[in-house]
Amino acid sequence: MKLNKERFLKTELGGALKECITSWDISLDACRKHGYYTDDYKRGRKAADWCQAQWEVYKMAIRQFYGVEYCFTRTDTYYGLVTEDETDWLFRVERKGSRDNGEKIQKTVL
């Protein structure tokens, strides 16, 4: 089955996936802003772990139904889902007021 990205992202599954990835990005930012043993860090880490677990299921479903494997990626300027070779984006969210150096913070290929 061919993946129509725009149509997929408008479905309930696609919307929930995008919400999960956005929450994951926010949770990772929260972890970065707080000290390791603080309650704020622990809450952010727990939320990030939950989002990552959800992402693993979404990733498996997309790979099973559409034959495409996306990776979560985030930099100072954007975050989103892209293939490992970075040629095909499912979606990309540009950060407001971000630096333009494009330095990667994390790329998760799990």
Side-chain angles (χ1 to χ4, degrees):
M1 190 179 331
K2 183 160 172 46
L3 174 61
N4 180 324
K5 297 173 203 172
E6 291 175 19
R7 194 167 150 196
F8 173 75
L9 290 171
K10 290 179 182 176
T11 66
E12 187 175 349
L13 181 66
L17 166 62
K18 195 166 184 180
E19 185 177 311
C20 172
I21 297 303
T22 299
S23 295
W24 194 6
D25 180 67
I26 291 167
S27 298
L28 290 172
D29 275 346
C31 290
R32 195 169 60 145
K33 292 176 185 173
H34 300 290
Y36 187 70
Y37 288 104
T38 65
D39 287 339
D40 289 330
Y41 175 86
K42 290 175 186 176
R43 274 191 294 277
R45 184 74 254 164
K46 185 176 180 178
D49 290 346
W50 177 253
C51 292
Q52 183 175 357
Q54 286 183 17
W55 161 238
E56 294 300 327
V57 176
Y58 287 118
K59 181 179 175 179
M60 188 181 344
I62 293 169
R63 186 175 55 234
Q64 178 70 35
F65 294 119
Y66 300 108
V68 181
E69 186 164 339
Y70 288 103
C71 305
F72 171 68
T73 188
R74 63 192 307 257
T75 70
D76 289 342
T77 56
Y78 62 82
Y79 68 91
L81 297 178
V82 65
T83 55
E84 191 169 356
D85 63 4
E86 297 185 2
T87 59
D88 179 28
W89 287 85
L90 180 59
F91 72 89
R92 177 177 167 151
V93 178
E94 298 293 328
R95 299 182 192 281
K96 295 177 183 168
S98 62
R99 294 179 271 164
D100 288 328
N101 66 2
E103 180 182 331
K104 287 197 176 180
I105 296 171
Q106 176 179 355
K107 181 174 182 182
T108 305
V109 180
L110 302 174

